[in-house]
């Protein structure tokens, strides 16, 4: 389950420790989502400072919760080249990594999420580059975002296979045997994502989940898939059933 800090980290230490105890007792693995307003390539120094603060607050909470990864949206281009935005993003994340190390937070990964809008730094290759160049950054593959960013790119097993092949090539086999991801169907336009949608609610699956389940089963890929549809619990059960069927 993903603990949502998208509007800010407001959980007290006592609550976090109680949640951790409950999760461990019930065999529930936790992750966290950092605040939405993070931008690791902000132009204003004050906003960069705020981004670092939000990431650190989320990392501290995750450490208390026993959550392995904190998911965040890396940055925006803001009219600059991909190279320039990437350079600033890497510099910001390096500072966060140093602060985490200074506080002894060595059990939490920074989860750079693939972005759903073309104005954001967060294509698959960019996300893999962040992970390959940083010490505590992992890619978080949001399949709906990649689908929307690519104008309906994911249509079947070939596209899912390409995602995992690129991930394994960039980061090694371990990356595809313990991946972290989000899944939802999605409505999109010229600039990427518009709205997440329940499974089966659109004229045709967009993107389809069944081919993903088959790719996972056929290749021995394993990891975490967080359901991000508006019907969280119901669609999570649907996805689990499809995964079990694909595994035979």
């Amino acid at each position: 389950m993903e603990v949502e800090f998208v509007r800010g980290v407001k959980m007290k230490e006592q609550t976090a420790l109680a949640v951790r105890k409950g999760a461990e007792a019930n065999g529930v693995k936790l992750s966290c989502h950092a605040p939405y307003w993070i931008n690791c390539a902000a132009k204003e120094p004050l906003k960069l400072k705020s981004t670092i603060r939000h990431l650190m607050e989320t990392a501290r909470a995750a450490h208390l919760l026993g959550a392995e990864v904190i998911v965040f949206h890396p940055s925006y281009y803001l009219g600059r080249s991909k190279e320039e935005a990437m350079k600033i993003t890497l510099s910001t994340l390096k500072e966060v990594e140093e602060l985490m190390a200074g506080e002894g937070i060595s059990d939490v990964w920074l989860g750079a999420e693939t972005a759903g809008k073309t104005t954001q730094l967060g294509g698959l290759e960019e996300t893999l580059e962040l992970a390959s160049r940083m010490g505590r950054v992992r890619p978080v593959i949001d399949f709906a975002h990649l689908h929307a960013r690519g104008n309906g790119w994911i249509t079947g097993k070939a596209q899912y296979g390409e995602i995992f092949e690129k991930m394994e090539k960039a980061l090694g086999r371990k990356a595809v045997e313990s991946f972290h991801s989000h899944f939802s169907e999605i409505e999109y336009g010229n600039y990427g994502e518009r709205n997440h949608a329940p499974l089966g609610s659109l004229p045709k699956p967009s993107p389809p989940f069944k081919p993903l389940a088959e790719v996972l089963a056929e290749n021995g890929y394993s990891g975490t898939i967080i359901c991000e549809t508006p019907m969280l619990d119901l669609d999570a059960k649907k996805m689990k059933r499809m995964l079990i069927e694909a595994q035979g």
Side-chain angles (χ1 to χ4, degrees):
M1 295 186 72
E2 185 176 86
V3 182
E4 303 293 343
F5 292 125
V6 295
R7 305 295 178 189
V9 181
K10 302 170 184 177
M11 183 179 287
K12 295 181 179 180
E13 179 176 345
Q14 184 178 0
T15 302
L17 294 175
V19 170
R20 177 176 186 157
K21 183 178 180 180
E24 290 175 347
N26 290 281
V28 177
K29 186 177 181 180
L30 298 178
S31 60
C32 300
H33 199 302
Y36 283 142
W37 41 78
I38 282 171
N39 181 2
C40 294
K43 291 184 176 181
E44 301 88 343
L46 191 60
K47 289 185 178 180
L48 281 177
K49 186 175 181 180
S50 176
T51 284
I52 292 168
R53 175 171 58 82
H54 289 309
L55 283 170
M56 285 303 301
E57 287 176 349
T58 311
R60 292 183 190 111
H63 179 63
L64 292 171
L65 286 161
E68 185 179 45
V69 61
I70 61 172
V71 180
F72 68 101
H73 303 159
S75 56
Y76 292 80
Y77 299 125
L78 300 177
R80 297 162 299 184
S81 68
K82 293 181 180 181
E83 293 74 17
E84 186 177 0
M86 176 65 75
K87 182 179 179 181
I88 300 168
T89 300
L90 287 166
S91 176
T92 302
L93 291 176
K94 182 180 179 181
E95 186 170 346
V96 174
E97 285 190 348
E98 290 172 351
L99 289 169
M100 288 173 63
E103 294 187 19
I105 302 175
S106 59
D107 55 347
V108 177
W109 288 86
L110 298 167
E113 182 180 351
T114 54
K117 296 182 183 296
T118 56
T119 55
Q120 295 173 282
L121 186 147
L124 178 61
E125 288 77 9
E126 292 169 327
T127 305
L128 294 178
E129 181 179 350
L130 284 174
S132 66
R133 295 178 64 179
M134 301 299 300
R136 295 217 57 81
V137 174
R138 288 177 58 181
V140 173
I141 306 301
D142 190 308
F143 296 102
H145 285 173
L146 290 179
H147 182 68
R149 189 184 183 95
N151 195 31
W153 173 63
I154 300 175
T155 58
K157 290 168 65 175
Q159 292 75 36
Y160 287 120
E162 183 179 336
I163 291 169
F164 284 98
E165 286 167 10
K166 287 184 176 180
M167 198 188 323
E168 184 171 3
K169 184 178 180 180
L171 303 172
R173 182 68 187 178
K174 187 176 180 181
V176 296
E177 291 181 341
S178 59
F179 68 86
H180 194 84
S181 70
H182 289 167
F183 192 92
S184 174
E185 289 191 25
I186 197 165
E187 295 177 295
Y188 59 89
N190 293 334
Y191 299 101
E193 68 168 311
R194 286 180 176 168
N195 300 298
H196 287 221
L199 297 189
S201 66
L202 301 175
K204 64 177 182 178
S206 182
F209 184 79
K210 185 177 179 181
L212 172 59
E214 292 171 348
V215 166
L216 297 179
E218 292 169 8
N219 293 278
Y221 301 143
S222 182
T224 299
I225 303 174
I226 298 294
C227 178
E228 280 206 325
T229 79
M231 306 291 287
L232 296 176
D233 52 346
L234 298 178
D235 283 341
K237 291 178 181 179
K238 289 181 182 178
M239 289 191 288
K240 183 177 181 179
R241 286 196 294 269
M242 283 188 267
L243 280 167
I244 292 172
E245 290 172 2
Q247 291 166 347

